[in-house]
Amino acid sequence: KGPFPKLAPLESRIGALRPITTRIAIPGPLWALYVAAFCLAALPATSLPVKKMGLRPGVPAARVLWKVADPAEWEKSLCKYDVALRAVGVKRKKEKDLVKWDAAMDTLKTRFEAQGKLSLSDLETVMNWKLTKGKFRPLMNLFLSNSPSLVQKATEETLGSLNAPVAKALAPLCQLKGIGPATASAVLACLRPDRFPFMADEAMEAAGVERLYTVKAYEEFAKVLCNKAASLGEPWTAERVGRALWAEATSSDLLSSMADAPPKVKKLKVTKATEEKEGGAMEKAATAGGGKAGKRAA
């Protein structure tokens, strides 16, 4: 039915394979697997089950935080941000770079408003920050293929759409190669943190939003984080809520990794010279010990 071609009966499909078996000797178990694979390949793709993505590490702890109504508890999680960021940088062997890029993100709004646009170099910093802080994806070369003039035009349009609906605010940056809703949200979060949270995987899953990198998923994510910020009150913004969730998930994963890691035991290389040295030291200690014991007895 529908767009799929009408398939021949299963018996005839299996029968069509029999001439092959007369030319190739296939053992019984392999023949059964061969037939099963042939029949499975004939099924429409829509009938096959789709495996859901697992949660990012540390998300269960962030989900606990999501249910908390006390702003003081959220502040405690937010205070873990700097340590969590450095831990990720150490893990990626880019601690100094990640800290530098994170500081540059804090000043992005000032540069944006002063220039009325961003340069290719500015967005390269955003890409480096995102790809190092989150899950790495090989997007940098594709992004760098954008012309500087195209980047400036897209960022100029972004500055003029900060009060527009979410989808329209994302659109100018998403026209650039290598940039999707997640990277675009990183720029918007610097400009209007009250409306646009950064699309971090951990924050999305903690808030109960399916981890899909689409405009629709981001619209839902931004909405629920804005609502949470409103319930927590000043000075909470959607971006602040997202940072707290990311920090809680990342720090929880760090503690879990430290607890599971086996203690490192340094292996000593024993040579003949070492054995002779240690043997002489032991003999000397025993002689000295015997002399002291004799004196105490006297």
Side-chain angles (χ1 to χ4, degrees), residues 10 26 141 194 199 213 220 226 245 294 298:
L10 180 61
I26 303 177
N141 288 337
D194 58 316
M199 198 178 188
Y213 307 108
E220 182 184 356
C226 284
L245 292 172

Side-chain angles (χ1 to χ4, degrees), residues 116-189:
K117 58 191 174 185
L118 290 177
S119 66
L120 182 65
S121 178
D122 289 326
L123 282 193
E124 185 180 357
T125 297
V126 175
M127 288 288 288
N128 277 319
W129 174 83
K130 174 186 175 291
L131 297 177
T132 305
K133 181 184 176 185
K135 185 175 177 62
F136 177 79
R137 293 178 176 84
L139 297 173
M140 184 58 79
N141 288 337
L142 180 61
F143 165 72
L144 292 176
S145 67
N146 292 294
S147 66
S149 59
L150 190 61
V151 169
Q152 291 181 10
K153 181 182 177 182
T155 53
E156 284 175 352
E157 292 177 1
T158 298
L159 194 59
S161 62
L162 295 179
N163 294 319
V166 173
K168 190 173 181 179
L170 290 171
L173 289 171
C174 289
Q175 292 175 0
L176 298 173
K177 289 178 284 188
I179 290 188
T183 307
S185 74
V187 177
L188 293 175

Side-chain angles (χ1 to χ4, degrees), residues 53-167:
M53 293 185 290
L55 295 178
R56 290 280 186 243
V59 167
R63 284 185 167 179
V64 173
L65 176 64
W66 179 255
K67 298 177 182 179
V68 174
D70 185 3
E73 293 299 317
W74 281 82
E75 285 286 355
K76 291 179 183 178
S77 295
L78 187 60
C79 287
K80 301 174 184 178
Y81 180 84
D82 290 338
V83 175
L85 185 79
R86 286 185 174 275
V88 172
V90 170
K91 186 177 180 181
R92 302 284 173 85
K93 298 181 180 180
K94 291 185 177 181
E95 180 186 2
K96 291 183 179 180
D97 288 334
L98 184 56
V99 171
K100 179 183 68 175
W101 293 329
D102 193 70
M105 294 293 288
D106 291 337
T107 61
L108 191 68
K109 180 179 181 180
T110 304
R111 298 199 306 277
F112 208 157
E113 291 177 341
Q115 302 168 5
K117 58 191 174 185
L118 290 177
S119 66
L120 182 65
S121 178
D122 289 326
L123 282 193
E124 185 180 357
T125 297
V126 175
M127 288 288 288
N128 277 319
W129 174 83
K130 174 186 175 291
L131 297 177
T132 305
K133 181 184 176 185
K135 185 175 177 62
F136 177 79
R137 293 178 176 84
L139 297 173
M140 184 58 79
N141 288 337
L142 180 61
F143 165 72
L144 292 176
S145 67
N146 292 294
S147 66
S149 59
L150 190 61
V151 169
Q152 291 181 10
K153 181 182 177 182
T155 53
E156 284 175 352
E157 292 177 1
T158 298
L159 194 59
S161 62
L162 295 179
N163 294 319
V166 173

